[in-house]
Amino acid sequence: VVASPRVVQIMSTARAHLEVLPVSVKLTIGLGLAALLLFPWVGTDFYIQTVARMMILAIFAMSLDLLQGVTGLVSLGHAAYFGLAGYALAFISPETGPVSLWWSLPLSVAASGLAALVIGFFVVRTQGIYFIMVTMAFAQMVFYLFFDNKILGGSDGIYINFKPDAVWFDLEHKSTFYYFTLASLLATYGFLRRLLFSPFGRALNGIRINEHRMTSMGYATFGYKLTAFTLAGALAGLAGYLWGAQTGFINPELMGFHMSAHAIMMVILGGMGNFAGAIVGDSAQAQQQRMAEEAAGEVQTFLDRAEFGEDVREEMADLLEVAQRRGDVHRLAAKRAAAGTSRCAAACSGQWRRQPHDPGGPGIARIWGVGRRDGTCLHHFWASNLVYKTGLRKPCQAASDHADRHAARP
């Protein structure tokens, strides 16, 4: 069956590409861009820095989307190139003054691109789950190279004392750095969009859909995949450079697995193969992280309210001392701690009262937490004493560990 000229013409136009944005999406992008342009005029310094950090991570997510969404290569080690550029900036930045932006930025991006080229020469020969595991293996090698080497900063990382010097504008000013990051984001997005409409981008799409067919048509798929891998690493380096310049600190955690996993989550949330979606996915990921941090803060506040008055703590310390002399409390606490650990999350935020007798151990005072009004948290007896003596902020875990140690005694 021979395709008609009309079909061939339609398939050859730009509208045949996978990332043709609907009008509603284009309108949303336009409104979002207008909001980003106006944000420094209404936002505080804290939120200006936060949004700038989100834009940096959006560049990082788009670089991974070039691999995962366009070429079909899922990498679990993409954060290695993100961190390498930050380290490159830290190494070439003097301690007494700023380094020039115009040669440090290309050098840092080139360092990440070169590392991606060397690593990619080996990893793009694999496919599927093997590609995923090999990329993660190389990333962990890079991670531990910096983590265990004091010359490279070790686990403590390296500080960057000054933002790069741009000569014509001052990146030390938060709004100026914000607009520079926004310009980098737009340039990256425009470059990748143009790349998708090029013959190279269409070849990458073909490799993602059916690599064997592309090979049979005469395409050197290895070269295309290696080029995409190197380009994605260089763009991740751009994001890492901006991250280091903004935060002023680089450590090996930026090259860890969790950073690559965050980028993958951003790409998935926004839709693979859609660079505008990667930006949206970054925003969604940042919102989820903020909500998780707020929830953690509320839990910590709730636990802080579970602290006891000084008189109650003194009474419980005396009771513990008496019980320890009898020796029976070790077995009792170990038994009850194992049963009550799952109920610890409620935290005993109320007062404490004392029962005259405990059937589980004759003559031992029985302490009940009435935060849940169910009298099931005997191991809070241990927890309160540990908080009183050591100031630990995690009494439940401390109680369980304490009970386990005593349970092991004969």
Side-chain angles (χ1 to χ4, degrees):
V1 179
V2 179
S4 64
R6 174 62 177 171
V7 174
V8 173
Q9 182 180 4
I10 293 176
M11 294 179 63
S12 301
T13 60
R15 300 189 62 82
H17 198 270
L18 78 163
E19 193 175 301
V20 176
L21 301 179
V23 177
S24 59
V25 176
K26 292 181 180 179
L27 179 61
T28 303
I29 293 176
L31 294 176
L33 177 59
L36 289 175
L37 289 172
L38 297 176
F39 185 77
W41 297 90
V42 296
T44 61
D45 288 346
F46 172 78
Y47 288 106
I48 289 175
Q49 289 184 301
T50 300
V51 177
R53 191 174 296 113
M54 291 171 59
M55 291 190 291
I56 293 172
L57 292 178
I59 297 175
F60 182 44
M62 285 192 293
S63 69
L64 179 61
D65 200 18
L66 176 62
L67 275 182
Q68 182 171 328
V70 177
T71 316
L73 302 176
V74 181
S75 174
L76 286 180
H78 201 59
Y81 318 112
F82 179 85
L84 280 174
Y87 270 100
L89 173 62
F91 291 145
I92 63 179
S93 296
E95 296 183 357
T96 58
V99 68
S100 174
L101 171 73
W102 306 114
W103 69 266
S104 63
L105 176 58
L107 182 62
S108 300
V109 173
S112 293
L114 179 61
L117 176 63
V118 174
I119 295 176
F121 181 79
F122 299 98
V123 302
V124 298
R125 301 175 185 273
T126 60
Q127 295 179 350
I129 187 62
Y130 303 104
F131 179 86
I132 297 174
M133 300 307 296
V134 172
T135 54
M136 185 175 67
F138 272 101
Q140 290 301 104
M141 290 169 58
V142 176
F143 170 82
Y144 283 107
L145 174 65
F146 285 86
F147 187 86
D148 295 333
N149 198 329
K150 294 297 183 181
I151 299 177
L152 301 178
S155 59
D156 296 331
I158 303 177
Y159 285 96
I160 303 173
N161 298 326
F162 301 92
K163 286 184 172 62
D165 182 19
V167 181
W168 297 296
F169 48 89
D170 185 13
L171 292 179
E172 292 288 350
H173 194 274
K174 294 181 176 59
S175 296
T176 303
F177 189 89
Y178 174 93
Y179 282 116
F180 180 77
T181 305
L182 177 59
S184 301
L185 173 66
L186 296 177
T188 303
Y189 177 76
F191 169 73
L192 291 175
R193 283 278 296 177
R194 183 65 187 89
L195 182 70
L196 286 179
F197 290 103
S198 67
F200 176 75
R202 298 191 178 241
L204 294 181
N205 288 323
I207 292 173
R208 175 180 57 84
I209 295 172
N210 194 323
E211 183 176 354
H212 295 291
R213 181 172 295 179
M214 293 295 293
T215 303
S216 65
M217 293 174 61
Y219 284 89
T221 57
F222 174 81
Y224 280 96
K225 292 193 295 184
L226 181 59
T227 303
F229 195 91
T230 304
L231 182 58
L235 292 176
L238 171 61
Y241 179 92
L242 294 174
W243 182 279
Q246 188 203 35
T247 61
F249 178 72
I250 295 294
N251 67 343
E253 295 298 326
L254 295 176
M255 298 184 290
F257 167 76
H258 73 282
M259 197 70 181
S260 298
H262 285 173
I264 292 176
M265 183 61 66
M266 296 174 197
V267 173
I268 293 176
L269 288 175
M272 293 188 297
N274 192 324
F275 296 122
I279 301 175
V280 175
D282 166 62
S283 303
Q285 175 75 2
Q287 180 67 14
Q288 290 179 354
Q289 184 176 358
R290 186 185 66 83
M291 294 173 62
E293 290 175 353
E294 290 181 353
E298 292 177 359
V299 171
Q300 184 61 48
T301 301
F302 179 74
L303 293 177
D304 289 341
R305 294 175 181 174
E307 295 181 354
F308 312 107
E310 193 65 25
D311 55 339
V312 178
R313 284 187 282 186
E314 290 177 355
E315 179 184 359
M316 297 182 68
D318 295 336
L319 291 173
L320 178 63
E321 185 177 352
V322 173
Q324 285 176 333
R325 286 199 299 267
R326 294 186 58 87
D328 297 332
V329 74
H330 304 311
R331 293 187 298 274
L332 179 63
K335 179 180 177 181
R336 297 297 178 84
T341 300
S342 61
R343 294 185 288 268
C344 250
C348 40
S349 58
Q351 298 296 321
W352 291 70
R353 55 190 175 89
R354 176 177 173 178
Q355 295 290 341
H357 180 68
D358 187 347
I364 298 177
R366 189 177 189 182
I367 305 299
W368 298 79
V370 296
R372 289 182 55 179
R373 299 288 191 262
D374 57 0
T376 56
C377 298
L378 176 63
H379 61 296
H380 282 290
F381 175 90
W382 288 94
S384 61
N385 184 66
L386 292 175
V387 171
Y388 171 69
K389 287 190 173 182
T390 65
L392 292 174
R393 304 297 296 184
K394 296 181 179 180
C396 299
Q397 183 62 42
S400 298
D401 295 343
H402 195 82
D404 292 339
R405 289 195 298 269
H406 286 286
R409 295 183 178 181

